[in-house]
């Protein structure tokens, strides 16, 4: 067996073509983290939990059971691509307002999965949303607020206003003394 | 949990892949989606010396409509099959079976042939290949051979593929018009391995009797298997509830059920009979309803 | 001024989006594994394949020769580099545990050596090259077998594997049982689970031999008060260790006083003089995390009067503890805080037997032992209703402690601060549509389907104090459990908060502090900034365990805010040339009472003590900062004769949970049709954030009840070391919860808050078991007393086993 199994690969990470040298065995999540995409979290490293979910050529996938060499030349999308500067995108903001996260560790994987799901199904039922996110484990929320967030995000993406159940950020409330409790 | 070192190779033809397999011997393994193999490598249960990535071999990513069968190349991802219009039209049971396989992000990467070659005893696809009488094309240095599904699976994670050989495609016969089919399983959590499950395809004659029947079971023994005794009980009979119940009781005759923390032999045997009954009932109902 | 909840609240009580969240949503959470130091090395731990074995020898030469491997440290070497691990017992030397096993391994997965290498990949390659010579010993796979005559001893210094056996009794227990019209008995088993957060435990240690400082960043609770114990283990001066908290990607108890990753990384860094990262992988965390949760068997009985009054409770609890005894019987002391549940039981006897076995040791998991007691008690109450032939709800109601009785002293000494159990129950029943579900149940039975409804009423103690550690011992123990903050107001009036201990555990410490600051200083919660400080420079902190953080951080913020307000008024008095007594702090500024036209904003005031010393009176020092160390608001010591063990967990939340399930009696599968929960944890700071805690806890309760278990076989081999077998519920297994809150303020806390972080897991298992029983009633099934209720177990219940 060769001790040096190095490969030059090129990944398009969030729109940036990135040349990397990896071992054949280097897992994609480690490669992406080394390239600065620390949103890609290792939760179980055996393909069960989905915390490491990224999109490969648009399709959600577990980066902990994918070798970097397998996706040579492919487009990889991570959570780092979602916000514009300080501004969350609609799905992120829906998760924020509907408390779709607690510890935040499963959140990037969940967001990548939900982004894909809402592209395929812009007007999902709660049951459809529930099944879609069942690929990704969350230990904090019991999932209910994540499903709320998915439904909220779908409505916003369809052009609807924030629902009454969506929290209003304190900054938008300004001086809350004027707002009834 | 990091995989051990190996050498990664990416041949550009089936011939080259086979040559590499033969060159590197027992330690070499085919890599397709890797959705079963890489987790085992992360646990260091699997420690291949060479991985031969066949996903970019031209032609292996094709789904081909052969008329009486759908042939799926070794590099075709499960989700590609799941969303293939031709598969949905000609072999819809396969689409239903795929819905039970893990989760969508896994199916985006995993391949149908990879799953079959992996021969997990819990595999829905293995059972589906048995129920549909699929044919496996195995390629070695001396050429290719066709293996019927019933001969393909030998034991846990073991098939007739020998060292130096690879699975290049699998052909699923189309589901005949007017037949009923069903797949169902019991797993403890969504998308997890089935403790027990069954797949059945039933055709009824004009007299309403069962003209042909297949029943395969998975998740409960050392490999997916055909329940021939159950099939024989039904063929030629009216598919009454009693007949189905009797057939279901025969589904696990002579089968040594496996046991683990999720279920004892007895429980698996019980569940196996339950699911044999459930899929036979559903398949018959669909056949009677004239559904595709 | 928003003091003590006297005035209308502007920010508390709002479901604000959390101030913590944006960075997590952007993938910029800053978790421990995101930390990278120049020249940092990585660790892999070699683990024992045997449950019980002598380590006869080890050959590390091949690993050491592997390029990229920097060092191998065996258990023997580690025993020289480090002292024992911290152990909260009177005689830790009897069952001492080390960061790596030195002479003997006591469970599958216990670490025996570490490989330090340039990457985790190489470290694992090196690990594979270590040869260990084990001499297997007879395994001790369960508490029962551990107590059999001739059982192998885990720790040679002990006379048996029983580490502790004692009884706490209060009131006339024997008399009550003699006089009882009915005695109801139940046997209950609670399976071994663990918190299993999505992020494992991890540390990055960096030792500077120049000044002797060892800095360890970790996602585990860094208890400021107890960091000296870790320093002792690492053989370093206590003032040379800085444990710096990092955000935890979930904890639920698992990263509570967890020291293994910290000591592992610290030992390696100190030995090598280089930065070292050790983040557990999932296998590390499942096999040998700092602790699994409880595994217990109960024999529990109740003395009941002729008219259905609960008179006395007596139980023997056998704890299958695992190999080491770090937390001792703390988890039973914890259960003592709410030992009578919501019922007015007059006398109790609680015998706890802690048995050491060849398993990973147990410790904290959301409930810390109270959740197990809740399950046993409610199962007993359900059985009592059956045996007495009365309605289970009416039996509960009859025995509820009524609102007029609070504060209520319970047997043992703890006090329940406040509550209105009937009101909570009413609210739950109002939402539950029980008539509808009873009709559905009847209809289903006709169709051969089995639907069941389970209702439980339970306590959730909150605001942890240290007393539980010494309940089962004679000695007086530690009584300090403070929490601290520092507030800094900069020259522009912007407010920063520094917190101590591992405040962010997946909870909402920043949101709570920000909302309280909104009340106390009139600042916008989104405009507050936050920092966390390590133990070396830290004010006292006891961490968020035991549902204490909301109350404790609020008390600290409130106290520090009062200091800021006082100084603001002093400065404003000078600026406005008005007597201090004529001023008040209102809406983020100081103004003349009743005259908002004469006002200085916090920003106008703040610049003065920052930049203009000589423009202020001499007695006003520079700076605009305030520290506040907030002690637990209500604890007492035991009486000298220990007939009263004192008050230690008085903020008593309460809940009613109603589960509606359907059981497939062919497969044993359980599915939820409905779930209703109403909680009362006093004044709610952020309802939606609390909802998330309750539902998340409830999901873990579902896991406990139906799916999760660390199973060890008769050889002590673990069967569920991966998440393929240890079944974390997915979205498809968790019900939609219809959740309500009732608010009975605590008289003892700021704003009347109580804790609510553990509730869901404390209540769901009993509700689910009760619902399964109800579903299977027509089949004459045995009762759901053994968790988890696996499908196979349910089938065997249906079959009468």
């Amino acid at each position: 067996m060769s001790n040096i199994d190095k490969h030059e690969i090129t990944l398009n990470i969030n729109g940036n073509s990135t040349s990397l040298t990896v071992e054949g065995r280097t897992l994609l999540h480690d490669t992406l983290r080394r390239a600065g995409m620390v949103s890609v979290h290792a939760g179980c490293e055996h393909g069960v939990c989905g915390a490491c979910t990224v999109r490969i050529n648009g399709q959600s996938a577990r980066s902990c059971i994918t070798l970097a060499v397998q996706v040579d030349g492919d487009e990889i999308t991570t959570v780092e691509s979602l916000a514009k500067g300080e501004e969350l995108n609609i799905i992120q903001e829906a998760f924020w307002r509907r408390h779709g996260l607690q510890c935040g560790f499963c959140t990037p994987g969940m967001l990548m999965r939900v982004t894909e799901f809402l592209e395929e199904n812009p007007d999902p039922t709660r049951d459809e949303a529930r099944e879609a996110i069942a690929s990704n484990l969350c230990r904090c929320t019991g999932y209910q607020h994540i499903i709320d967030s998915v439904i909220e995000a779908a409505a916003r993406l369809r052009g609807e206003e924030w629902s009454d159940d969506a929290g209003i950020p304190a900054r938008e409330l300004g001086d809350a003394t004027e707002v009834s409790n | 949990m990091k995989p051990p070192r190996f050498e990664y190779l990416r041949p550009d033809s089936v011939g080259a892949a086979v040559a590499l397999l033969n060159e590197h011997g027992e330690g070499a393994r085919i890599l397709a989606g890797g959705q079963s193999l890489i987790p085992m490598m992360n646990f260091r249960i699997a420690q291949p010396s060479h991985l031969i990535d066949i996903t970019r071999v031209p032609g292996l990513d094709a789904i081909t409509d052969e008329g009486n069968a759908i042939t799926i190349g070794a590099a075709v991802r499960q989700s590609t099959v799941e969303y293939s219009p031709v598969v949905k039209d000609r072999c819809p049971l396969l689409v239903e079976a795929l819905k039970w396989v893990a989760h969508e992000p896994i199916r985006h990467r995993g391949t149908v042939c990879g799953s079959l070659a992996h021969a997990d005893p819990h595999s829905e696809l293995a059972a589906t290949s048995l129920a549909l009488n699929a044919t496996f094309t195995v390629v070695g240095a001396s050429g290719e051979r066709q293996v019927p599904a019933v001969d393909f699976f030998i034991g846990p994670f073991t098939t007739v593929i020998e060292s130096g050989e690879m699975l290049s495609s699998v052909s699923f016969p189309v589901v005949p018009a007017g037949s009923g089919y069903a797949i169902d399983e019991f797993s403890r959590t969504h998308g997890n391995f089935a403790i027990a499950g069954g797949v059945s395809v039933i055709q009824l004659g004009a007299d309403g009797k069962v003209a042909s029947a297949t029943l395969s079971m998975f998740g409960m023994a050392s490999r997916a298997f055909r329940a021939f005794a159950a099939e024989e009980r039904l063929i030629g009979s009216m598919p009454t509830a009693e007949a189905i119940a009797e057939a279901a009781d025969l589904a696990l005759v002579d089968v040594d059920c496996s046991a683990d923390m999720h279920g004892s032999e007895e429980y698996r045997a019980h569940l196996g009979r339950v699911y044999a009954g459930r899929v036979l009932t559903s398949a018959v109902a669909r056949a009677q309803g004239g559904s595709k | 001024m928003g003091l003590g909840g006297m005035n209308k609240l502007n920010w508390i009580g709002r479901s604000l989006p959390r101030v913590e969240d944006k960075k997590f949503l952007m993938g910029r959470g800053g978790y421990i594994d995101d930390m990278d130091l120049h020249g940092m090395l990585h660790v892999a731990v070699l683990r024992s394949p045997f449950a019980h074995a002598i380590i006869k020898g080890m050959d590390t030469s091949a690993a050491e020769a592997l390029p990229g491997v920097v060092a191998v440290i065996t258990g023997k070497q580690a025993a020289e580099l480090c002292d024992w691990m911290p152990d909260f017992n009177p005689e830790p030397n009897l069952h001492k545990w080390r960061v790596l096993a030195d002479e003997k391994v006591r469970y599958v997965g216990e670490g025996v050596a570490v490989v330090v290498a340039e990457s985790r990949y190489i470290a694992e390659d090196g690990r594979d090259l270590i040869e260990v010579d084990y001499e297997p010993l007879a395994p001790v796979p369960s508490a029962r077998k551990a107590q059999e005559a001739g059982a192998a001893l885990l720790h040679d210094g002990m006379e048996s594997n029983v580490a502790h056996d004692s009884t706490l009794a209060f009131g006339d227990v024997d008399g009550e049982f003699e006089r009882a019209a009915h005695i109801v008995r139940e046997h209950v088993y609670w399976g071994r689970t663990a918190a299993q957060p999505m992020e494992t435990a991890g540390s990055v240690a960096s030792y500077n031999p120049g000044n002797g400082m060892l800095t360890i960043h970790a996602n585990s609770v860094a208890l400021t008060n107890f960091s000296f114990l870790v320093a002792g283990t690492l053989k370093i001066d206590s003032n040379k260790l800085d444990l710096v908290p990092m955000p935890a990607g979930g904890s639920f108890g698992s990263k509570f006083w967890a020291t293994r990753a910290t000591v592992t990384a610290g030992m390696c860094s100190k030995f090598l003089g280089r930065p070292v990262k050790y983040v557990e992988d999932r296998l590390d965390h499942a096999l040998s995390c700092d602790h699994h949760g409880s595994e217990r068997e109960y024999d529990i009985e109740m003395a009941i009067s002729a008219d259905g009054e609960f008179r006395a409770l007596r139980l023997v609890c056998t704890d299958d503890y695992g190999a080491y005894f770090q937390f001792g019987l703390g988890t039973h002391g914890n259960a003592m805080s709410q030992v009578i549940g919501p019922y007015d039981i007059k006398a109790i006897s609680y015998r706890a037997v802690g048995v050491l076995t060849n398993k990973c040791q147990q410790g904290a998991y959301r409930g810390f032992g109270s959740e197990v007691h809740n399950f046993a008690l409610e199962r007993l109450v359900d059985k009592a209703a059956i045996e007495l032939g009365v309605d289970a709800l009416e039996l509960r109601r009859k025995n509820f402690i009524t609102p007029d009785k609070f504060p209520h002293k319970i047997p043992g000494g703890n006090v329940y601060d406040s509550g209105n159990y009937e009101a909570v129950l009413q609210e739950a029943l109002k939402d539950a549509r029980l008539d509808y579900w009873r009709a559905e149940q009847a209809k289903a039975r006709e169709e051969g389907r089995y639907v069941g409804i389970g209702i439980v009423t339970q306590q959730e103690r909150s605001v942890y104090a240290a007393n539980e550690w010494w309940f089962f011992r004679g000695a007086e123990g530690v009584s300090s459990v403070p929490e601290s903050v520092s507030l800094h107001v900069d020259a522009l009036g912007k407010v920063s908060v520094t917190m101590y201990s591992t405040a962010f555990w997946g909870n909402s410490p920043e949101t709570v502090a920000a909302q309280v600051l909104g009340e106390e200083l009139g600042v916008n919660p989104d405009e507050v900034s936050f920092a966390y400080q390590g133990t070396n420079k830290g004010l006292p902190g006891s961490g968020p365990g035991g549902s204490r953080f909301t109350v404790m951080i609020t008390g600290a913020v409130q106290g520090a805010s009062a200091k800021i307000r006082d100084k603001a008024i002093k400065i404003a008095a000078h600026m406005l040339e008005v007597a201090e007594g004529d001023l008040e702090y209102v809406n983020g500024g100081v103004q003349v009472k009743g005259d908002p036209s004469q006002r200085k904003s916090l920003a106008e005031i703040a610049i003065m003590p920052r930049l203009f010393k000589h423009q202020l009176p001499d007695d006003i020092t520079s700076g605009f900062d305030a520290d506040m160390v907030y002690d637990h608001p209500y604890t007492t010591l035991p009486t000298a004769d220990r007939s009263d063990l004192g008050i230690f967990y008085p903020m008593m939340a309460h809940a009613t949970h109603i589960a509606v399930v359907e059981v497939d009696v062919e497969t044993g599968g359980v599915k939820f049709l409905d779930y209703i929960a109403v909680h009362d944890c006093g004044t709610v700071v952020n309802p939606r954030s609390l909802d998330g805690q309750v539902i998340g806890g409830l999901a873990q309760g579902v896991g406990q009840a139906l799916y999760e278990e660390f199973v060890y076989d008769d050889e002590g081999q673990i069967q569920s070391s991966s998440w393929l077998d240890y079944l974390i519920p997915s979205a498809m297994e968790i019900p939609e919860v219809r959740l309500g809150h009732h608010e009975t303020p605590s008289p003892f806390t700021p704003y009347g808050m109580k804790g609510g972080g553990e509730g869901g897991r404390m209540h769901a298992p009993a509700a689910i078991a009760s619902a399964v029983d109800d579903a299977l009633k027509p089949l004459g099934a045995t009762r759901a007393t053994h968790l988890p209720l696996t499908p196979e177990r349910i089938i065997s219940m249906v079959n009468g086993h």
Side-chain angles (χ1 to χ4, degrees), chain C residues 309-320:
Chain C
E309 200 179 316
F310 298 164
R311 298 297 307 175
L313 182 69
R314 183 157 61 193
L315 68 90
V316 180
C317 177
T318 303
D319 221 321
D320 189 330

Side-chain angles (χ1 to χ4, degrees), chain B residues 197-208:
Chain B
V199 189
S200 180
V201 183
I202 303 269
Q203 263 186 301
L204 301 179
D207 56 359

Side-chain angles (χ1 to χ4, degrees), chain B residues 1-5 39 42-44 47 103 186-193 195 260-268 270-271 274-275 278, chain C residues 120-122 124-125 128 281-283 664 666-669 706-707 709 711 719-720 722-725 727-730 732-733 790-792 795:
Chain B
M1 287 170 58
K2 309 297 182 191
R5 283 203 165 110
N42 288 0
F43 282 116
R44 299 198 175 210
Q47 303 214 9
H103 300 280
F186 185 81
S187 65
R188 290 195 57 202
T189 54
H190 181 76
N192 208 324
F193 291 117
I195 301 179
D260 61 22
M261 64 170 277
H262 305 297
S264 64
E265 295 92 334
E266 296 76 21
Y267 175 65
R268 274 196 160 79
H270 163 78
L271 261 191
V274 168
Y275 275 83
R278 288 184 181 185
Chain C
R120 178 71 181 236
Y121 287 77
I122 297 170
E124 294 188 18
D125 294 343
D128 286 356
D281 63 28
R282 187 53 57 183
L283 202 53
D664 180 336
E666 283 192 321
T667 64
L706 300 174
Y707 300 107
E709 188 175 16
V711 175
Q719 305 298 297
S720 40
S722 85
W723 275 7
L724 294 168
D725 291 311
L727 303 175
I728 307 280
S730 80
M732 297 300 277
E733 282 75 50
T790 63
E792 180 163 17
I795 292 297

Side-chain angles (χ1 to χ4, degrees), chain C residues 28 63 324 336 384 397 591 598 626 628 642:
Chain C
R28 302 285 291 269
Y324 302 98
M336 283 295 293
R397 283 185 153 129
Q591 65 191 42
Q598 292 197 69
M628 178 68 192
R642 296 181 79 79

Side-chain angles (χ1 to χ4, degrees), chain A residues 3 23 25-27 29-30 33-34 38-39 41-46 48-51 79-80 82-83 85-88 91-93 95-99 101-108 111 126-127 130-131 133-134 136-145 147-149 165-177 179-181, chain C residues 8-19 21-22 24-28 31 33-35 67 119 121-122 125 194-200 248-250 252 277 281-282 365-366 504-507 524-527 587 686 688-689 691-693 695-697 699-700 703 708 722-724 726 728-738:
Chain A
N3 249 353
E23 278 188 83
R25 65 169 169 168
T26 310
L27 297 166
H29 76 86
D30 284 322
R33 290 182 62 79
R34 212 177 304 151
V38 293
S39 73
H41 295 151
C44 72
E45 288 186 292
H46 54 285
V48 177
C49 80
V79 154
E80 279 82 354
L82 299 186
E86 291 179 8
E87 196 184 330
L88 300 175
I91 297 173
Q92 289 170 307
E93 186 156 2
F95 270 69
W96 188 34
R97 290 182 181 236
R98 295 301 299 261
H99 288 232
L101 67 156
Q102 287 174 25
C103 84
F105 202 76
C106 77
T107 307
L111 286 170
R126 286 187 74 84
D127 284 346
R130 183 174 285 281
E131 185 161 2
I133 63 158
N136 291 47
L137 297 179
C138 167
R139 195 59 162 160
C140 291
T141 62
Y143 305 103
Q144 193 157 320
H145 290 179
I147 294 163
D148 293 344
S149 304
D165 290 328
I168 303 168
R171 205 182 288 274
E172 287 179 24
L173 288 170
D175 181 355
T177 54
V179 186
S180 86
N181 213 32
Chain C
K8 187 171 92 56
L9 300 175
N10 293 323
W11 295 105
I12 290 173
R14 283 181 189 284
S15 288
L16 294 179
R18 301 192 319 163
V19 303
D21 284 356
K22 284 180 83 172
F24 297 122
L25 287 160
M26 292 181 177
R28 302 285 291 269
Y31 300 102
D33 200 31
D34 302 350
M35 190 171 179
S119 77
Y121 287 77
I122 297 170
D125 294 343
Q196 293 289 311
M198 298 298 294
E199 181 210 39
T200 58
F252 324 111
K277 176 188 277 186
D281 63 28
R282 187 53 57 183
Y365 179 20
R366 213 169 195 170
F504 185 80
W505 237 20
N507 51 342
N524 185 294
D526 268 349
E527 292 175 3
N587 293 342
N686 184 316
R688 197 160 174 86
S689 169
D691 289 354
Q693 291 290 323
I695 298 169
Q700 291 174 336
E708 298 175 34
S722 85
W723 275 7
L724 294 168
Y726 187 86
I728 307 280
S730 80
M732 297 300 277
E733 282 75 50
I734 303 301
E736 288 272 342
V737 181
R738 299 193 285 131

Side-chain angles (χ1 to χ4, degrees), chain C residues 263-324:
Chain C
V263 171
T264 301
M267 170 183 75
C268 296
S269 180
K270 185 165 167 252
F271 180 61
L272 295 168
R274 290 177 65 176
V276 174
K277 176 188 277 186
Y278 174 53
V279 179
E280 295 170 336
D281 63 28
R282 187 53 57 183
L283 202 53
D284 292 325
H285 188 71
L287 292 171
S288 183
C289 55
D290 282 271
H291 42 261
H292 289 166
S294 295
E295 178 181 357
R296 291 185 183 172
E297 260 182 280
Y298 284 78
D299 284 301
I300 186 167
E301 58 186 350
M302 185 112 73
I304 304 176
S305 72
D307 61 351
E309 200 179 316
F310 298 164
R311 298 297 307 175
L313 182 69
R314 183 157 61 193
L315 68 90
V316 180
C317 177
T318 303
D319 221 321
D320 189 330
Y321 203 91
Y324 302 98

Side-chain angles (χ1 to χ4, degrees), chain C residues 187-430:
Chain C
H187 181 86
V188 166
Y189 174 82
W190 178 273
R192 175 178 283 252
T193 60
Q196 293 289 311
M198 298 298 294
E199 181 210 39
T200 58
S203 297
V204 173
S206 181
Y207 180 64
N208 184 337
N211 59 11
M213 275 302 295
L214 179 57
T215 304
I216 307 180
H217 288 76
N219 58 9
S220 292
V221 165
L223 300 173
T224 324
N225 301 6
F226 287 104
S227 62
F228 72 92
L229 291 174
V230 180
T233 297
L234 285 163
K235 296 188 174 181
I236 194 165
D237 286 344
S238 54
N239 63 344
K240 297 283 188 178
L241 175 68
D242 195 12
L243 299 176
V244 185
M246 300 289 278
S251 162
F252 324 111
S254 69
K255 294 165 184 164
F256 173 77
W257 189 233
T259 46
R260 204 190 294 271
T262 294
V263 171
T264 301
M267 170 183 75
C268 296
S269 180
K270 185 165 167 252
F271 180 61
L272 295 168
R274 290 177 65 176
V276 174
K277 176 188 277 186
Y278 174 53
V279 179
E280 295 170 336
D281 63 28
R282 187 53 57 183
L283 202 53
D284 292 325
H285 188 71
L287 292 171
S288 183
C289 55
D290 282 271
H291 42 261
H292 289 166
S294 295
E295 178 181 357
R296 291 185 183 172
E297 260 182 280
Y298 284 78
D299 284 301
I300 186 167
E301 58 186 350
M302 185 112 73
I304 304 176
S305 72
D307 61 351
E309 200 179 316
F310 298 164
R311 298 297 307 175
L313 182 69
R314 183 157 61 193
L315 68 90
V316 180
C317 177
T318 303
D319 221 321
D320 189 330
Y321 203 91
Y324 302 98
F325 207 48
Q326 180 192 11
F327 289 105
L329 290 184
T331 53
H332 293 280
N334 194 296
M336 283 295 293
S337 68
Q338 54 185 46
V339 65
I340 59 173
Y343 313 114
D344 194 0
I345 302 173
K346 313 291 185 195
I348 66 115
S349 168
Y350 190 127
R351 179 178 166 201
V353 185
V355 183
L356 300 185
T357 53
N358 288 130
K359 298 177 181 176
C360 181
Q361 74 169 341
Q362 56 164 263
Y365 179 20
R366 213 169 195 170
F368 205 66
S370 286
E371 81 286 22
V372 197
H373 181 77
N374 273 2
F375 178 74
L377 181 58
E378 284 300 273
R379 295 277 63 207
L380 183 67
V381 169
D382 273 353
K383 191 171 185 188
I386 294 166
E387 294 197 354
L388 271 59
V390 298
D391 179 76
L393 265 189
E394 290 313 313
L395 186 62
R396 286 178 165 87
R397 283 185 153 129
K398 181 182 179 59
N399 285 284
F400 274 163
I401 300 161
T402 48
D404 55 303
K405 294 201 175 143
F406 296 103
H408 179 76
K409 186 101 175 153
I410 72 164
N414 196 34
V415 158
Y416 292 177
D417 61 341
S418 65
N420 189 341
Y421 307 149
E422 179 63 34
V424 172
L425 177 59
Q426 286 293 348
E427 211 167 313
L429 293 175
K430 184 163 59 74

